[in-house]
Amino acid sequence: MTIVRKNTLNPTVNPSVSPPGNLAEKYMEAERMHDVLLLLQNLINSEEATVKLILDCLYDVGSVNLINQKLRLKPLNRVMKLIARMSKPVFRTLALNWFKKNCPQLITNWLHTQVSFEKPQKAPEQVAIEVVKLEPYSIPQKESLSQEIKNLRYQVRWLAGISVIAIAVLVVRATWLN
């Protein structure tokens, strides 16, 4: 595969800020970083199988850790891990397309920061924010909230009763059919 070199400046490089003597150096830097981008794109295209294997490994580790962190119930945890294993081909396709589209530029930008040797910018100072103390609910709001809570509890009781009756009917029907 041949590499085509564009003669455009990297948008992160602003030659108007630097002195005229550094303009040639900045242009050469932008060209070389563009070459790095093209080489990374070429590497990803030629080593697609390796990228797929890396993404598979990351998915296996990440999905298990995420499910373990979010779902504490063992039966639900197992079901979600099974679903995660089944959805792996879909993830692989989507992740590979995202990787090809975004990662060469992200890696190039990161590498450029590594070879720039610029001091990291200081984080902005903390700004004090005045917080206004909220007044508690007024009496009419409290009454309407408590009435709404009572209504919701009543609806939950009805739904629970209907659910119990429906499950009982299903169990009786299933045992009658057997």
Side-chain angles (χ1 to χ4, degrees):
M1 178 177 207
T2 58
I3 297 175
V4 179
R5 181 179 293 177
K6 288 184 182 179
N7 286 329
T8 59
L9 286 173
N10 186 344
T12 59
V13 178
N14 188 356
S16 62
V17 174
S18 61
N22 289 337
L23 185 60
E25 291 174 359
K26 291 293 182 185
Y27 183 76
M28 189 270 307
E29 178 181 337
E31 269 192 353
R32 298 307 288 168
M33 292 313 298
H34 184 71
D35 290 346
V36 169
L37 174 66
L38 293 174
L39 290 168
L40 283 169
Q41 288 172 341
N42 186 26
L43 177 67
I44 289 170
N45 287 334
S46 65
E47 295 296 330
E48 188 171 316
T50 305
V51 171
K52 284 181 181 178
L53 290 172
I54 291 169
L55 291 173
D56 284 349
C57 294
L58 292 173
Y59 181 77
D60 290 339
V61 172
S63 63
V64 169
N65 287 339
L66 182 65
I67 291 169
N68 287 340
Q69 181 183 10
K70 297 293 181 182
L71 302 171
R72 301 281 184 210
L73 296 171
K74 286 286 183 188
L76 190 58
N77 190 304
R78 289 184 191 130
V79 170
M80 288 306 295
K81 286 179 183 175
L82 179 65
I83 292 171
R85 271 188 243 121
M86 289 189 298
S87 66
K88 190 175 184 177
V90 174
F91 166 81
R92 183 185 302 132
T93 304
L94 295 174
L96 183 64
N97 290 336
W98 183 89
F99 192 90
K100 284 182 174 181
K101 181 180 175 186
N102 297 313
C103 281
Q105 186 64 52
L106 291 171
I107 295 170
T108 302
N109 292 345
W110 178 75
L111 290 171
H112 187 250
T113 61
Q114 297 302 304
V115 297
S116 294
F117 302 109
E118 294 177 0
K119 294 180 181 177
Q121 296 178 356
K122 292 183 180 179
E125 292 183 18
Q126 298 278 336
V127 178
I129 299 173
E130 183 177 331
V131 178
V132 178
K133 186 175 181 180
L134 297 175
E135 295 296 322
Y137 292 117
S138 63
I139 301 296
Q141 282 181 326
K142 284 183 181 178
E143 291 173 2
S144 67
L145 284 175
S146 69
Q147 183 61 37
E148 190 173 343
I149 291 171
K150 286 178 186 176
N151 290 339
L152 289 173
R153 286 180 179 160
Y154 178 74
Q155 290 175 355
V156 167
R157 282 189 203 115
W158 266 100
L159 287 173
I162 292 171
S163 298
V164 167
I165 292 170
I167 291 171
V169 168
L170 285 173
V171 167
V172 168
R173 185 78 174 164
T175 55
W176 183 72
L177 289 175
N178 286 336

